[in-house]
């Protein structure tokens, strides 16, 4: 069995890609529902993801084939294709919010005038290029991007801490379970990243203590997100709900920034750079699964269908995005919960047999 | 061939990124951009918002060593419309990215001030870290002042509002974010510095630009001259005169304007409800911020003998609020610990020098404790009268005594029992 990834790359994958898409609009979504208890909402999502990761580590340990193989062994050809089709839709919908929020962020923050839809085309070119590549490219991206993400994140957090009113989190839990869980439910489209790990099963040689490494790296990335949520609320408190793009706002109250200028944009641009790749991940996996389902050998065809489809979707629904957002927040949550969190929990129960999928071969 | 393709790809990616992130696609001709450094907002007699934008006009010329400026006023039914109107009548695209100051005219205090500031807190076109201040009269007039401090008046104002560590914390500055956060907090209480103009003539004499501006001596003699200002001890002195927050004239021949921002305007639910005088503003800062290296004037320390005045430097201040809330009682204690040293006095003491090893005379310590206690009580009385909870007592009740919050949230200012403990120490 030829492995395309190293355990190190799996770990860095989570560090590089997990935090970056969750620090644009997500903090204000949590705050809208749970106010000062938003960090508890975030924690609920993290626990759900960690439980799924924990289960999948067991699957990785005993699997001697990839996820496609595991599905075929357990559900047969038709059954596995149905499940994989659901995952194509899952990853496609999962990509909508992060891509659209970054599109809005760039248009509103960097452009004085209203740019047309085609200004965001470069993202799709990059995403398309990544989607065409083998899975080992994802590992190489993670090898480089974890440093960029970490640097940008540390710069922004470092500039923010001086303005934090940590007592703003008090009193804990007063918003009630309903508000906290509503926040978690609405944020499900940003979470469920453990599903990525499912498609990385069988792609790396599992050695002793690898599970521990993966689990703690995921924990570290999740802690970074939680830290950002706490900082966000403690800086903005009663006006947090209107800070739609927290990334630009969080660090600019530092006296260093006021005296010297907005050098925090260095950190912001580093995060934006990493998030281009992070946003491409759902589209990459959707393309990969589509190739598996349809049996298309030329990966550029499925990549074109998925990336082109996303571009057309965003273009068509650009004026109806509030409605799209409403449906994703209120109705798609259960879909994300089942495919992003619950199904991965049962991955260790899938039948393992030696059956390597040809798609991953060189 | 393989490497050529890689190089082409890398070049293409780099080009796309540079084009995308450098805002190339949304380019506006630089000559059509108005770089707004400050805006003043007033209400016109026809009940419209009047936004005066101070625009910096950079010139690539060695004939004029200083940047030119322009003040353009636009009108509209909303603040956004008025800003749009500035662009409409000037032909410049109003670029608010560099706007660091918002001056609110006195005419706007008759309505909820958040009607004006909400626009700035929501839009991403302006930094919501921009400082906010209230002009004693018209905002536009304040912005149109000529100051010896800087060719551009807004820069001069920022110099006195935003002080580096080491200066006295005699001004209570706020920015859009802080003001709105305070407004939307449980207590709906916010504040901003009230800036008064001080004319400086050739002879170096300073005249207050406002008829109701209390001079330091007036403040001392009649601390309750304004119904909403806090009372202070009769023996207390102004800790900082208006000129102390202003820089001296650079010696220009014409009358020049300096600014005094040591008074603070108080807002409750967005409406102006009172002012804090110079002493109360200082005590507010000592209670809520790091006041290290702030100087404090202590007058008539030994009343039985000749007048002894001291200048004290606060080296460390630690303030906390202790609250106990039960079904029957709400008790709030303010504890202030100050570590300081004598910087100067108006009489010679042979055995006292200004080194760190000099101990604080007990008389000075007692007088300072007495004076600070009186001023904190004065501040609390102002809070009770105006309902502007600048000390965030309600927030403390919500955060630390949530079980009793519903009981006291509407009447906490009336029923709370307050205690003040001030401890002044020096070198031991």
């Amino acid at each position: 069995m030829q492995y395309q990834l190293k355990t190190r790359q799996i770990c860095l994958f989570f560090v590089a890609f997990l935090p970056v898409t969750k620090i644009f609009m997500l903090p204000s979504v949590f705050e809208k529902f749970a106010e000062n208890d938003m960090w508890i909402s975030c924690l609920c999502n993290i626990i759900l993801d960690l439980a799924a990761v924990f289960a999948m580590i067991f699957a990785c340990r005993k699997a001697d084939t990839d996820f496609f193989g595991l599905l075929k062994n357990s559900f047969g050809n038709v059954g596995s294709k149905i499940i994989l089709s659901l995952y194509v839709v899952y990853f496609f919908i999962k990509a909508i919010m992060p891509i659209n929020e970054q599109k809005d962020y760039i248009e509103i923050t960097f452009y004085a005038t209203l740019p047309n839809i085609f200004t965001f085309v470069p993202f799709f070119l990059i995403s398309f290029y990544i989607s065409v590549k083998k899975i080992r490219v994802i590992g190489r991206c993670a090898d480089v991007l974890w440093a960029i993400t970490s640097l940008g994140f540390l710069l922004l957090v470092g500039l923010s801490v001086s303005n934090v009113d940590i007592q703003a989190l008090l009193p804990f839990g007063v918003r009630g379970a309903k508000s906290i869980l509503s926040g978690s439910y609405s944020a499900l489209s940003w979470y469920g990243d453990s599903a990525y790990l499912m498609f990385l099963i069988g792609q790396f040689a599992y050695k002793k203590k690898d599970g521990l490494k993966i689990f703690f790296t995921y924990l570290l990335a999740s802690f970074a997100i939680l830290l950002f949520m706490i900082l966000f609320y403690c800086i903005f408190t009663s006006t947090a709900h209107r800070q739609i793009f927290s990334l630009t706002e969080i660090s600019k109250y530092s006296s260093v920034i006021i005296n010297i200028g907005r050098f925090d944009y260095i950190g912001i641009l580093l995060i934006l750079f990493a998030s281009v790749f992070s946003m491409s991940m759902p589209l990459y996996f959707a393309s990969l699964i589509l190739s598996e389902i349809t049996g298309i050998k030329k990966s550029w065809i499925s990549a074109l269908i998925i990336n082109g489809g996303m571009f057309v979707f965003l273009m068509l629904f650009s004026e109806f995005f509030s409605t799209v957002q409403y449906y994703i927040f209120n109705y798609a949550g259960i879909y994300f919960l089942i495919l992003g969190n619950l199904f991965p929990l049962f991955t260790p129960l899938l039948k393992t047999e030696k059956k390597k999928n040809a798609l991953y071969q060189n | 061939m393989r490497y050529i393709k890689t190089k082409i790809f890398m070049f293409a990616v780099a080009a796309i990124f540079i084009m995308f992130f450098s805002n190339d696609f949304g380019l506006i001709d630089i000559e059509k951009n108005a770089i707004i450094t400050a805006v003043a907002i007033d209400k016109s007699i026809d009940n419209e918002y009047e936004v005066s934008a101070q625009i910096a006009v950079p010139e690539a010329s060695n004939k004029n060593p200083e940047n030119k400026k322009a003040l353009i006023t636009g009108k509209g039914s909303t603040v956004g419309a008025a800003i749009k109107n500035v662009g409409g009548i000037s032909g410049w695209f109003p670029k608010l990215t560099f706007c660091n100051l918002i001056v609110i005219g006195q005419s706007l205090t008759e309505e909820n001030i958040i009607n004006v500031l909400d626009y700035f807190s929501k839009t991403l076109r302006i930094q919501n870290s921009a400082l906010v201040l209230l002009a004693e009269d018209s905002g536009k007039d304040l912005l149109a002042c000529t100051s010896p401090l800087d060719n551009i008046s807004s820069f001069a104002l920022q110099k006195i509002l935003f002080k580096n560590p080491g200066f006295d914390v005699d001004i209570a500055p706020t920015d859009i974010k802080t003001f709105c956060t305070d407004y939307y907090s449980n207590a709906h209480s916010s504040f901003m510095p009230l800036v008064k103009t001080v004319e400086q003539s050739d002879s170096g004499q300073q005249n207050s630009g406002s008829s109701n501006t209390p001079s330091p001596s007036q403040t001392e003699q009649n601390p309750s001259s304004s119904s909403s200002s806090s009372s202070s001890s009769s023996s207390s002195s102004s800790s900082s005169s208006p000129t102390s927050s202003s820089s001296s004239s650079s010696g220009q021949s014409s009358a020049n304007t300096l600014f005094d921002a040591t008074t603070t305007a108080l807002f409750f639910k967005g409406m102006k409800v009172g002012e804090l005088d110079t002493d109360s503003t200082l005590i507010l800062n000592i209670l809520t911020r790091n006041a290290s290296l702030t100087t404090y004037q202590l007058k008539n320390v030994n009343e039985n003998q000749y007048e002894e005045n001291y200048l004290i430097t606060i080296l460390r201040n630690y303030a906390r609020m202790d609250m106990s809330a039960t079904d029957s009682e709400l008790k709030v204690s303010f504890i202030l610990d100050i570590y300081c040293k004598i910087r100067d006095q108006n009489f010679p003491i042979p055995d006292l020098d200004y080194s760190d090893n000099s101990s604080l005379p007990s008389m000075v310590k007692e007088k300072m404790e007495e004076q600070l206690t009186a001023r904190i009580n004065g501040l609390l009385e102002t809070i009770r009268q105006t309902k502007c909870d600048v000390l965030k007592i309600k927030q403390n009740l919500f955060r630390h005594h949530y079980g009793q919050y519903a009981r006291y949230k509407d009447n906490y200012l009336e029923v709370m029992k307050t205690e003040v403990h001030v401890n002044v120490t020096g070198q031991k």
Side-chain angles (χ1 to χ4, degrees):
Chain A
M1 189 171 190
Q2 191 177 355
Y3 298 112
Q4 304 226 16
L5 296 172
K6 307 267 187 236
T7 310
R8 179 197 74 240
Q9 291 173 323
I10 304 281
C11 295
L12 295 179
F13 175 89
F14 294 126
V15 175
F17 300 135
L18 242 67
V20 285
T21 50
K22 295 176 183 63
I23 56 179
F24 286 86
M25 192 178 150
L26 183 60
S28 66
V29 172
F30 275 133
E31 204 280 339
K32 186 182 164 191
F33 290 95
E35 296 180 48
N36 63 321
D37 289 330
M38 61 178 283
W39 68 275
I40 306 177
S41 292
C42 176
L43 192 64
C44 291
N45 290 96
I46 288 170
I47 290 168
L48 274 174
D49 273 12
L50 282 172
V53 169
F54 190 72
M56 274 184 291
I57 285 168
F58 281 98
C60 290
R61 199 157 65 174
K62 70 172 193 174
D64 46 11
T65 180
D66 57 20
F67 182 64
F68 300 128
L70 289 173
L71 280 181
K72 274 179 195 167
N73 294 339
S74 306
F75 301 101
N77 259 338
V78 178
S80 69
K81 283 191 177 180
I82 292 169
I83 292 170
L84 290 174
S85 304
L86 293 175
Y87 271 104
V88 173
V89 178
Y90 170 81
F91 283 120
F92 190 85
I93 303 174
K94 186 176 166 59
I96 292 172
M97 288 306 299
I99 292 174
N100 192 71
E101 76 193 43
Q102 197 179 47
K103 176 178 154 290
D104 282 351
Y105 174 81
I106 287 169
E107 285 178 358
I108 293 170
T109 314
F110 292 164
Y111 288 84
T113 54
L114 186 67
N116 62 41
I117 184 83
F118 294 101
T119 54
F120 205 67
V121 166
F123 163 75
F124 289 101
L125 295 180
I126 295 166
S127 174
F128 170 76
Y129 180 79
I130 294 169
S131 301
V132 170
K133 292 292 172 186
K134 302 275 184 202
I135 206 158
R136 67 159 66 106
V137 171
I138 304 299
R140 287 173 187 164
C141 286
D143 270 337
V144 175
L145 290 171
W146 77 272
I148 291 172
T149 301
S150 306
L151 198 64
F153 194 84
L154 287 174
L155 184 64
L156 294 181
V157 168
L159 288 168
S160 312
V161 286
S162 60
N163 299 297
V164 164
D165 174 15
I166 197 74
Q167 292 192 357
L169 298 176
L170 296 172
F172 297 147
V174 289
R175 305 297 169 190
K178 192 182 172 189
S179 300
I180 292 168
L181 293 176
S182 298
S184 292
Y185 183 80
S186 300
L188 280 168
S189 77
W190 279 275
Y191 281 89
D193 294 316
S194 47
Y196 293 137
L197 188 56
M198 226 159 38
F199 293 90
L200 300 177
I201 292 174
Q203 300 302 318
F204 63 102
Y206 188 92
K207 294 187 287 292
K208 199 180 176 186
K209 290 188 179 174
D210 277 359
L212 211 60
K213 287 177 194 168
I214 292 170
F215 186 81
F216 278 105
T217 324
Y218 201 101
L219 193 68
L220 181 74
S222 302
F223 174 75
I225 298 162
L226 187 66
L227 177 72
F228 192 89
M229 298 295 165
I230 289 171
L231 288 177
F232 170 76
Y233 189 81
C234 291
I235 288 171
F236 293 105
T237 63
S238 55
T239 51
H241 62 281
R242 57 172 60 187
Q243 309 301 327
I244 299 169
F245 296 119
S246 52
L247 190 68
T248 318
E249 307 292 317
I250 195 163
S251 53
K252 71 182 184 190
Y253 304 102
S254 164
S255 55
V256 184
I257 294 289
I258 293 168
N259 279 328
I260 296 175
R262 294 298 304 273
F263 73 88
D264 58 322
Y265 265 103
I266 295 169
I268 292 169
L269 288 170
L270 288 173
I271 294 284
L272 281 173
F273 180 75
S275 68
V276 168
F277 294 87
S278 182
M279 288 186 306
S280 306
M281 285 306 109
L283 299 178
Y284 173 84
F285 283 101
S287 305
L288 188 76
I289 301 164
L290 188 65
S291 297
E292 171 67 20
I293 297 167
T294 56
I296 297 170
K297 298 287 178 200
K298 291 181 177 171
S299 56
W300 68 267
I301 297 175
S302 51
L304 188 66
I305 293 169
I306 296 294
N307 287 281
M310 180 57 73
F311 175 70
V312 171
F313 178 88
L314 290 178
M315 202 168 66
L316 288 178
F317 286 91
S318 62
E319 289 182 14
F320 304 94
F321 207 79
S322 293
T323 312
V324 172
Q325 192 172 295
Y326 175 82
Y327 277 99
I328 289 176
F329 283 1
N330 293 287
Y331 298 106
I334 191 73
Y335 190 72
F336 287 115
L337 191 66
I338 292 168
L339 291 181
N341 296 98
L342 295 181
F343 190 84
L345 277 178
F346 296 101
T347 321
L349 304 177
L350 297 177
K351 285 180 193 168
T352 58
E353 272 179 41
K354 284 193 177 180
K355 192 175 182 182
K356 180 73 184 116
N357 190 282
L359 195 76
Y360 287 138
Q361 303 288 356
N362 276 330
Chain B
M1 188 64 191
R2 188 179 158 199
Y3 290 109
I4 289 169
K5 275 171 73 179
T6 309
K7 281 176 187 172
I8 291 169
F9 168 71
M10 285 173 70
F11 181 78
V13 169
I16 286 167
F17 268 83
I18 289 166
M19 279 195 293
F20 187 59
F21 292 117
S22 66
N23 195 14
D24 236 357
F25 302 133
L27 188 71
I28 297 174
D29 190 348
I30 187 70
E31 289 175 0
K32 292 280 182 187
N33 268 317
I35 299 167
I36 296 175
T37 56
V39 290
I41 307 161
D42 295 290
K43 196 97 187 221
S44 66
I45 45 171
D46 49 352
N47 213 28
E48 280 201 315
Y49 291 104
E50 235 178 40
V51 171
S52 305
Q54 189 172 65
I55 297 166
V57 187
E59 281 195 340
S61 162
N62 56 5
K63 288 176 185 172
N64 184 3
E66 292 174 327
N67 286 337
K68 280 186 178 178
K69 62 178 181 184
L71 195 65
I72 295 173
T73 304
K75 278 186 178 183
S77 55
T78 66
V79 173
I83 291 172
K84 191 83 183 161
N85 187 235
V86 169
I89 59 176
S90 66
W92 278 328
F93 183 83
K95 207 169 180 63
L96 287 159
T97 317
F98 300 99
C99 177
N100 287 324
L101 187 72
I102 293 168
V103 182
I104 308 290
Q106 196 68 231
S107 55
L108 285 163
T109 56
E110 290 161 15
E111 65 172 77
N112 188 343
I113 202 85
I114 210 71
N115 296 343
V116 174
L117 290 178
D118 232 16
Y119 170 78
F120 297 104
S121 78
K122 283 186 285 193
T123 180
L124 287 172
R125 300 218 179 280
I126 188 170
Q127 319 259 11
N128 58 3
S129 53
L131 297 165
V132 187
L133 61 87
L134 182 68
E136 62 175 339
D137 192 12
S138 158
K140 184 182 178 183
D141 290 349
L142 187 69
L143 218 50
C145 284
T146 309
S147 171
L149 304 179
D150 202 293
N151 190 36
I152 297 175
S153 59
S154 64
F155 292 172
L157 280 163
Q158 284 175 55
K159 276 179 187 166
I160 65 157
L161 289 174
F162 187 74
K163 291 182 173 178
N164 286 328
F167 286 81
D168 284 3
V169 289
D170 53 355
I171 292 166
T174 192
D175 53 33
I176 299 170
K177 177 224 156 195
T178 310
F179 191 91
C180 291
T181 304
D182 290 345
Y183 173 85
Y184 288 108
S185 70
N186 296 330
H188 306 291
S189 304
S190 37
F191 60 86
M192 64 174 76
L194 174 59
V195 175
K196 297 168 181 175
T197 52
V198 181
E199 295 300 327
Q200 180 145 329
S201 61
D202 294 347
S203 59
Q205 290 175 328
Q206 292 178 352
N207 305 305
S208 170
S210 166
S211 57
N212 59 1
T213 307
S215 67
S217 58
Q218 283 171 331
T219 312
E220 186 184 344
Q221 286 162 10
N222 185 13
S224 304
S225 57
S226 167
S227 60
S228 56
S229 65
S230 74
S231 60
S232 51
S233 166
S234 61
S235 65
S236 72
S237 65
S238 169
S239 58
S240 164
S241 68
T243 51
S244 69
S245 64
S246 320
S247 297
S248 59
S249 168
S250 59
Q252 291 185 7
S253 58
S254 60
N256 283 309
T257 307
L258 298 178
F259 305 107
D260 168 30
T262 55
T263 47
T264 305
L266 302 176
F267 294 84
F268 176 62
K269 293 187 175 174
M271 303 296 290
K272 190 183 170 214
V273 286
E275 290 173 14
L276 292 181
D277 64 11
T278 304
D279 293 339
S280 300
T281 301
L282 181 71
I283 205 71
L284 171 67
N285 286 331
I286 290 174
L287 285 172
T288 55
R289 297 167 60 192
N290 177 10
S292 170
L293 297 179
T294 294
T295 53
Y296 187 88
Q297 289 184 48
L298 208 57
K299 286 188 178 178
N300 296 333
V301 173
N302 193 347
E303 288 171 359
N304 298 326
Q305 296 177 19
Y306 55 88
E307 187 180 297
E308 289 180 5
N309 299 336
Y310 289 88
L311 180 68
I312 310 285
T313 298
I314 296 171
L315 297 174
R316 189 182 65 237
N317 63 312
Y318 172 69
R320 73 171 199 272
M321 186 195 309
D322 280 354
M323 184 181 277
S324 73
T326 61
D327 289 356
S328 56
E329 190 183 56
L330 176 65
K331 198 172 160 184
V332 186
S333 302
F334 293 91
I335 294 123
L336 175 63
D337 285 319
I338 284 184
Y339 175 72
C340 56
K341 71 170 187 176
I342 296 170
R343 173 62 62 87
D344 191 15
Q345 78 272 325
N346 66 340
F347 59 95
I349 304 176
D351 57 343
L352 179 71
D353 59 24
Y354 300 133
S355 72
D356 286 339
N357 295 327
S358 304
S359 59
L360 208 61
S362 59
M363 209 177 283
V364 172
K365 170 182 150 55
E366 285 162 16
K367 187 73 179 180
M368 196 166 165
E369 283 177 351
E370 180 194 325
Q371 204 171 90
L372 287 169
T373 306
R375 288 184 182 180
I376 294 171
N377 281 322
L379 179 63
L380 287 168
E381 191 50 40
T382 306
I383 290 171
R384 281 199 178 94
Q385 284 173 13
T386 59
K387 294 185 177 174
C388 179
D389 182 5
V390 283
L391 291 176
K392 302 182 188 300
I393 301 165
K394 194 174 187 180
Q395 181 177 284
N396 195 297
L397 179 67
F398 177 80
R399 289 179 180 178
H400 301 286
H401 302 277
Y402 185 72
Q404 297 290 344
Y405 181 72
R407 183 186 299 276
Y408 293 114
K409 69 183 170 74
D410 297 322
N411 64 346
Y412 71 103
L413 289 174
E414 290 88 46
V415 301
M416 70 175 181
K417 290 175 183 169
T418 54
E419 278 180 12
V420 177
H421 304 285
V422 177
N423 182 31
V424 175
T425 53
Q427 188 68 235
K428 290 163 191 158

